[in-house]
Amino acid sequence: MSDEDFDNAKEEEKKRRHDVMAHVHAFGQAARKAAGIIHWGATSCFVTDNADLIFLRDGFDILLPKLALVIQKLSDFAQAQKGTPCLGYTHGQPAQLVTVGKRACGWIQDLLMDLRNLERARSDIRFRGVKGTVGTQASFLQIFKKDHTKVKQLDEIVTKKAGFDSAFIISSQTYSRKIDVDVGHALGSFGTTCQHIGGDIRHLAMLKELEEPFEKDQIGSSAMAYKQNPMRSERMCSLGRQLVNEAHNPEDTYAAQWLERSLDDSAVRRSTLPEMFLLADALMILLNNICSGLVVYNAVLERRIKEELPFMATENLIMAMVDKGCSRQKAHERIRVLSQEAAGQVKLHGKDNDLIERIEKDTFFDPISEMLPELLEPSTFIGRAPQQVEGFTDIGGEVSEALKKYQHQIASAQTTELHV
């Protein structure tokens, strides 16, 4: 075969309006002695569906090591930041302290679910094999003079030559489009994870607590020269949303199939299946690049903790007062009054949170005055976050166990570069 033969196939398709038969005729012209038996007993989907299953399998084999690398990079980041206190947010409002590493582990946990989903979708893919026009193998039974054993052997030989361990016993003219649905679900779910992580990074960049990589000569805005827009994370959210939307097409296509097959699946699958994998691959590249250079601004974290910690510490102060013999209700009331006064200074006058200064000046709290520095130490508010990160990411933990099979690819991988 040469490039010229594929030009012949193009001309044949224009004439015959059938892609497979165009190639059958083109191959027959190139191998004239075999022309009479090319495609014998087969149907178009023997070619196209089996090829699609190979593409799906190989597509996952490309994506999975890339996802494992992203998880490893985030794991390294989480370990490095396991004890770095930062504000946790619920309802978009400061809640209690977490650590930068603990938050990253939340991202990792979701990505591990994606790794599992992709692995499962990949392992569920079997070959269609040699099944004939409607899946009964009738044409091949005729070729082999009703020898069922030879038909089964042919099916097994072709399946193994294509690199599959097994083929579907049951198929119609096509493999079940439910396979495409499951593939779309796994990839679409990964798209939602990318949107979630990208959204978190964008919010943290808005707060100036954490940022994605920003190069020395990078321009954030054509008008506002001072800006450092999180364009990588924004792009990740955009492509993630597109991947989720693409993943709906296989659902609609599968639901619309009639009986043994209808051709309204063909055109949409030719665009949707490769597009989903290309989108997922682009997201892997973005995640790799972002996770290779996350920047943490410790001074900002400390300032924001200082602004909110006085309110967070009030329960600790009440507990300490009770331990010194004070009434819990009296301590609670005094804290409530002082907290509202301090909040008024922050909200109405734009001043710093002076709750601690008010507590220090109030003789009611003299019993714990010497304990205040210890009671307000940020590291005492992060619970077991560092230990959780260690248990999750250390050798023998969930992360290392999930990545075991990818260690060779991880060791030889590099940080991806963005060119736009």
Side-chain angles (χ1 to χ4, degrees):
M1 296 294 293
S2 66
D3 290 345
E4 183 179 332
D5 294 310
F6 288 105
D7 289 336
N8 292 339
K10 185 189 296 184
E11 289 301 315
E12 288 285 350
E13 186 168 1
K14 183 177 180 181
K15 178 170 59 176
R16 303 180 189 280
R17 301 298 178 187
H18 195 290
D19 53 354
V20 173
M21 285 306 298
H23 284 80
V24 168
H25 281 277
F27 295 157
Q29 294 170 22
R32 295 187 181 278
K33 290 184 178 180
I37 60 171
I38 292 175
H39 206 57
W40 188 21
T43 185
S44 297
C45 290
F46 168 75
V47 179
T48 56
D49 271 44
N50 280 323
D52 283 344
L53 290 164
I54 293 172
F55 297 154
L56 295 178
R57 177 198 65 192
D58 292 357
F60 280 125
D61 287 344
I62 292 171
L63 293 179
L64 282 165
K66 293 185 177 184
L67 179 53
L69 178 60
V70 167
I71 293 171
Q72 183 62 63
K73 286 177 177 288
L74 260 184
S75 179
D76 293 341
F77 174 79
Q79 288 178 332
Q81 301 292 337
K82 64 184 178 183
T84 306
C86 64
L87 288 178
Y89 297 88
T90 60
H91 308 275
Q93 304 299 313
Q96 292 289 318
L97 297 191
V98 295
T99 69
V100 175
K102 168 67 162 54
R103 178 180 284 140
C105 283
W107 301 338
I108 295 170
Q109 183 161 263
D110 293 346
L111 290 170
L112 285 176
M113 294 173 66
D114 291 314
L115 187 72
R116 179 201 65 195
N117 291 341
L118 297 187
E119 288 175 339
R120 184 168 55 199
R122 194 254 186 238
S123 67
D124 284 348
I125 295 173
R126 289 183 276 168
F127 208 46
R128 179 183 179 271
V130 180
K131 297 298 192 297
T133 54
V134 290
T136 64
Q137 299 178 304
S139 58
F140 295 101
L141 195 60
Q142 184 176 356
I143 290 173
F144 289 116
K145 311 300 183 186
K146 299 185 179 180
D147 189 330
H148 290 265
T149 300
K150 287 185 177 180
V151 175
K152 290 174 65 178
Q153 287 176 342
L154 176 65
D155 203 2
E156 292 168 0
I157 290 169
V158 174
T159 296
K160 283 182 169 52
K161 282 184 175 292
F164 286 83
D165 294 328
S166 63
F168 291 107
I169 296 175
I170 303 300
S171 76
S172 59
Q173 187 171 93
T174 69
Y175 68 79
S176 173
R177 296 309 183 223
K178 189 79 169 178
I179 292 292
D180 296 345
V181 174
D182 288 350
V183 168
H185 285 170
L187 295 174
S189 181
F190 170 65
T192 66
T193 305
C194 292
Q195 290 182 79
H196 172 68
I197 295 174
D200 279 356
I201 293 173
R202 291 162 64 193
H203 278 102
L204 293 170
M206 185 172 64
L207 298 171
K208 297 181 171 59
E209 294 186 8
L210 176 144
E211 287 182 343
E212 64 182 32
F214 195 89
E215 282 117 18
K216 177 177 176 293
D217 296 321
Q218 183 175 331
I219 296 174
S221 168
S222 63
M224 295 165 279
Y226 58 89
K227 293 193 73 179
Q228 291 189 200
N229 298 337
M231 66 88 172
R232 291 169 171 83
S233 299
E234 290 175 319
R235 184 183 301 174
M236 188 162 68
C237 289
S238 180
L239 293 179
R241 190 181 313 127
Q242 179 63 18
L243 177 52
V244 171
N245 289 329
E246 285 286 351
H248 292 314
N249 281 332
E251 297 174 332
D252 295 336
T253 299
Y254 164 68
Q257 284 295 283
W258 295 357
L259 305 174
E260 277 62 53
R261 196 267 172 100
S262 53
L263 196 61
D264 57 333
D265 67 336
S266 180
V268 67
R269 292 178 69 254
R270 293 182 190 219
S271 61
T272 291
L273 294 183
E275 189 70 18
M276 287 193 302
F277 278 88
L278 289 170
L279 284 165
D281 190 63
L283 288 166
M284 298 290 184
I285 293 171
L286 282 167
L287 273 171
N288 182 316
N289 184 271
I290 292 170
C291 295
S292 298
L294 288 170
V295 181
V296 178
Y297 293 108
N298 290 295
V300 176
L301 295 178
E302 292 170 5
R303 175 175 58 80
R304 291 186 60 76
I305 290 173
K306 186 178 179 181
E307 291 173 351
E308 301 294 339
L309 192 59
F311 294 137
M312 297 178 186
T314 54
E315 182 64 21
N316 284 6
L317 300 181
I318 293 171
M319 296 289 287
M321 286 293 290
V322 173
D323 192 54
K324 292 294 185 179
C326 177
S327 164
R328 189 262 178 200
Q329 277 60 250
K330 289 182 179 179
H332 182 279
E333 177 60 18
R334 195 68 195 135
I335 288 285
R336 185 190 69 81
V337 172
L338 295 179
S339 295
Q340 291 185 0
E341 291 175 357
Q345 292 296 307
V346 173
K347 296 177 179 178
L348 299 177
H349 305 291
K351 295 183 178 181
D352 292 336
N353 187 338
D354 64 354
L355 176 59
I356 299 304
E357 287 84 349
R358 293 174 182 273
I359 291 173
E360 288 174 334
K361 293 176 182 178
D362 193 321
T363 57
F364 179 83
F365 294 99
D366 283 351
I368 62 169
S369 60
E370 294 182 0
M371 300 171 59
L372 287 177
E374 179 183 350
L375 293 171
L376 294 168
E377 170 54 45
S379 62
T380 65
F381 288 81
I382 59 176
R384 298 193 65 254
Q387 290 75 26
Q388 289 176 339
V389 173
E390 290 171 357
F392 188 56
T393 61
D394 281 355
I395 295 174
E398 289 184 37
V399 175
S400 65
E401 289 300 305
L403 301 187
K404 268 185 178 179
K405 67 180 76 172
Y406 304 103
Q407 285 308 310
H408 176 70
Q409 294 99 319
I410 290 173
S412 60
Q414 298 179 340
T415 300
T416 55
E417 293 186 18
L418 300 185
H419 301 285
V420 291

